[in-house]
């Protein structure tokens, strides 16, 4: 079994949990979840998302982290190693490789969105949110998206920060910061919620989030909910398997994975409660797309006492949460280059970072001059990458991961990593992994793509 150096391990189970929660939450649930909920009708989407998170994503997440901790390597190498140890073909490593590739592609646009949070941090600090209304917020957002040099500069800055931390390693790069900043981000989110409930249209917001109108839910929407459960928790994108490779032996993986999911889904619902009362109070469209959060939060901070300072701190912490996710997404590709090409850590980081920076410019242009570009099926470059990762690669990778862990992986390895023996709990978990998760994913994929 491959072992990494001690410097690449989390120093404690608590730090691993905080880093995993930070890596899972990131922008996924504060930026992405509200806008895709808005595009998919609200309440019914939320319910499917929650069911998918606990009955589909949690079993796969725990299997991924178990494989990562057992293999102590990149997703591709760890899966190939565990497959060989289980008497299976090392080609199963390609499933880990697909997750790594999905995470790599996601990182290319994730960095651009994260760069936007830094721009909004500067705007908040300068008092640009004061007295902001809908039209002014739209103009502020358009001013960033239609300026590729400005957006590209923030994308470049975020990529440089990520590369510097990844190059330094786990303990010196991220541990010291997650202990303080992740709880602080949660507290500030609660402040935004309090303001939204007082100043926003709370009734309309709650009705949108918790009114389960299943007539508006399509197979594509249901698949989007499953996919976002993967995206936000970090399943099938190499992120959590890579963090699992650094996990201490003494922690309980099942408890940690449930804790990650509870925190992740809780922040998702809280983000919706923070956003949608303000959306309806200010006449914004719930289906405004990727710009929804960047339209809504500045209005909130602009009307809040001390809003400039609160907004600056909030966007600073949101950028940090994005950074914790970006580190894990990039770490998987860097580790693979170290393993397969014998690159030094800094050389591998530089190569991966440079390629992601270049690919990220497709997203930079997609938010401005390239918004109407038709790369495939009427989608611009960002929409193509988002569709490829969210609709195909992550769901398919999750289904294959479930089939591997449930049917092909040696049971003794699973039970040793999870700390479980044969019994009702393990039987239920194995049934979810073997049958429920892959069947639900593949059926929804079929309906969404061909139905």
């Amino acid at each position: 079994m491959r072992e990494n150096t001690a410097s690449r391990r989390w120093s404690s189970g608590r730090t691993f949990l905080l880093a995993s929660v930070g890596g899972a939450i990131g922008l996924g649930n504060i930026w992405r979840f509200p806008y895709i909920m808005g595009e998919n009708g609200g309440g019914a989407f939320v319910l499917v998302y929650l069911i998918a998170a606990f009955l589909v994503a949690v079993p796969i997440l725990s299997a991924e982290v178990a494989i990562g901790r057992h293999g102590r390597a990149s997703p591709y190498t760890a899966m190939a190693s565990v497959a060989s140890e289980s008497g299976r073909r090392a080609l199963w490593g390609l499933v880990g490789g697909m997750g790594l590739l999905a995470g790599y592609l996601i990182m290319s646009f994730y960095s651009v969105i994260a760069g936007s949070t830094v721009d909004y941090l500067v705007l908040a600090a300068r008092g640009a949110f004061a007295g902001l209304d809908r039209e002014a917020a739209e103009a502020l957002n358009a001013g960033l998206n239609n300026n590729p040099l400005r957006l590209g500069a923030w994308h470049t800055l975020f990529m440089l920060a990520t590369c510097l931390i990844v190059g330094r390693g786990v303990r010196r790069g991220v541990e010291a910061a997650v202990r303080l900043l992740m709880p602080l981000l949660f507290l500030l989110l609660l402040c935004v919620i309090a303001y939204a409930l007082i100043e926003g249209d709370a009734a309309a917001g709650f009705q949108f989030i918790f009114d389960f109108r299943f007539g508006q839910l399509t197979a594509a929407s249901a698949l989007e909910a499953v996919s976002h459960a993967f995206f936000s928790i970090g399943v099938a994108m190499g992120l959590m398997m890579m963090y699992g490779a650094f996990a201490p032996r003494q922690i309980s993986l099942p408890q940690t994975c449930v804790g990650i999911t509870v925190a992740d889904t809780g922040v998702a619902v809280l983000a919706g409660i923070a956003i949608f009362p303000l959306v309806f109070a200010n006449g914004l469209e719930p289906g405004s797309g990727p710009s929804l959060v960047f339209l809504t939060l500045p209005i909130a901070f602009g009307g809040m006492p001390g809003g400039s300072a609160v907004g600056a701190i909030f966007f600073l912490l949101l950028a940090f949460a994005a950074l914790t996710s970006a580190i894990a997404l990039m770490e998987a590709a860097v580790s693979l280059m170290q393993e397969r090409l014998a690159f030094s850590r800094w050389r591998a980081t530089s190569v991966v970072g440079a390629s992601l920076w270049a690919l990220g410019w497709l997203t930079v242009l997609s938010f401005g001059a390239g918004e109407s570009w038709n790369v495939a099926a009427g989608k611009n470059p960002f929409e193509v990458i988002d569709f490829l990762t969210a609709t195909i690669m992550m769901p398919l990778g999750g289904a294959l991961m479930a089939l591997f862990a449930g049917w092909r992986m040696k049971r003794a390895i699973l039970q040793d990593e999870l700390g479980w023996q044969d019994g009702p709990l393990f039987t239920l978990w194995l049934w979810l992994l073997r049958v429920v998760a892959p069947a639900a994913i593949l059926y929804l994929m079929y309906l969404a793509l061909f139905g």
Side-chain angles (χ1 to χ4, degrees):
M1 181 176 68
R2 184 184 178 89
E3 289 288 338
N4 287 353
T5 63
S7 65
R8 297 180 69 199
R9 306 285 181 84
W10 302 114
S11 60
S12 68
R14 179 176 176 270
T15 302
F16 169 64
L17 176 60
L18 281 174
S20 298
V21 168
I25 290 173
L27 292 174
N29 279 343
I30 298 177
W31 161 68
R32 194 172 190 270
F33 182 74
Y35 95 73
I36 62 170
M37 188 207 316
E39 291 179 334
N40 289 281
F45 177 88
V46 175
L47 183 60
V48 174
Y49 163 74
L50 292 174
I51 293 171
F54 286 96
L55 297 186
V56 178
V58 166
I60 300 174
L61 171 64
S62 54
E64 277 200 3
V65 178
I67 292 169
R69 187 167 71 174
H70 194 78
R72 296 293 189 196
S74 70
Y76 173 84
T77 305
M79 277 206 71
S81 173
V82 171
S84 297
E85 194 174 336
S86 301
R88 311 299 180 185
R89 293 189 177 187
L91 284 174
W92 277 103
L94 294 175
V95 176
M98 181 164 63
L100 187 154
L101 178 59
Y104 177 89
L105 293 174
I106 288 168
M107 179 61 188
S108 72
F109 68 75
Y110 199 89
S111 176
V112 179
I113 306 301
S116 299
T117 67
V118 184
D119 186 86
Y120 272 66
L121 156 64
V122 174
L123 290 172
R126 289 169 49 192
F129 296 165
L132 215 62
D133 58 14
R134 184 187 69 182
E135 289 76 15
E138 290 172 345
L140 204 66
N141 187 250
L144 174 61
N145 289 341
N146 293 328
N147 188 337
L149 293 180
R150 177 176 155 195
L151 185 57
W154 292 122
H155 158 58
T156 302
L157 179 66
F158 186 83
M159 279 303 313
L160 285 173
T162 305
C163 288
L164 287 173
I165 294 174
V166 171
R168 286 173 61 83
V170 172
R171 287 195 181 181
R172 290 183 298 172
V174 68
E175 272 202 9
V178 297
R179 296 189 181 108
L180 171 65
L181 296 183
M182 289 313 300
L184 188 54
L185 175 63
F186 178 77
L187 289 176
L188 281 178
L189 181 60
L190 292 180
C191 292
V192 178
I193 289 172
Y195 177 82
L197 296 180
I198 294 169
E199 299 294 335
D201 190 341
F206 274 93
Q207 182 178 10
F208 184 77
I209 298 170
F210 298 111
D211 184 9
F212 306 126
R213 292 165 289 181
F214 287 97
Q216 298 183 10
L217 193 70
T218 65
S221 297
L223 181 62
E224 182 93 58
V226 175
S227 174
H228 185 72
F230 287 3
F231 184 98
S232 60
I233 297 171
V235 172
M237 50 199 287
L239 189 156
M240 296 310 299
M241 192 182 294
M242 197 69 249
Y243 270 12
F246 308 143
R249 288 292 311 172
Q250 68 268 23
I251 69 166
S252 168
L253 293 188
Q255 290 179 9
T256 301
C257 291
V258 171
I260 291 168
T261 305
V262 169
D264 176 82
T265 53
V267 169
V269 175
L270 290 176
I273 294 172
I275 295 297
F276 285 104
L278 297 170
V279 166
F280 291 109
N282 290 280
L284 296 168
E285 286 295 325
S288 297
S291 295
L292 181 66
V293 168
F294 291 103
L295 294 174
T296 308
L297 289 181
I299 295 174
F301 293 128
M304 186 185 298
S308 293
V310 175
I313 295 170
F314 183 87
F315 279 109
L316 173 65
L317 295 174
L318 187 55
F320 175 78
L323 196 58
T324 60
S325 298
I327 291 163
L329 290 170
M330 191 169 168
E331 176 68 39
V334 169
S335 292
L336 183 65
M337 294 194 75
Q338 287 184 274
E339 294 160 1
R340 298 292 164 174
L341 300 178
F343 280 11
S344 69
R345 184 162 187 84
W346 280 109
R347 183 182 180 189
T349 301
S350 299
V351 171
V352 173
S355 64
L356 283 168
W357 174 82
L359 187 59
W361 280 90
L362 291 176
T363 296
V364 170
L365 295 174
S366 295
F367 289 161
E371 185 177 8
S372 60
W373 290 354
N374 183 1
V375 175
K379 300 181 185 298
N380 63 38
F382 163 71
E383 291 168 340
V384 168
I385 295 173
D386 188 42
F387 176 84
L388 181 64
T389 54
T391 307
I392 298 176
M393 296 180 73
M394 284 195 293
L396 181 59
L400 291 173
M401 181 68 65
L403 291 170
F404 170 76
W407 296 98
R408 312 304 288 172
M409 185 174 170
K410 187 181 291 185
R411 180 177 293 196
I413 296 176
L414 268 179
Q415 291 181 320
D416 178 59
E417 292 295 339
L418 296 174
W420 283 346
Q421 302 298 320
D422 287 329
L425 187 60
F426 182 73
T427 300
L428 173 63
W429 180 87
L430 199 60
W431 179 72
L432 290 172
L433 197 65
R434 285 180 165 182
V435 180
V436 175
I441 294 168
L442 294 175
Y443 179 65
L444 287 174
M445 284 188 71
Y446 172 78
L447 290 179
L449 296 173
F450 307 109

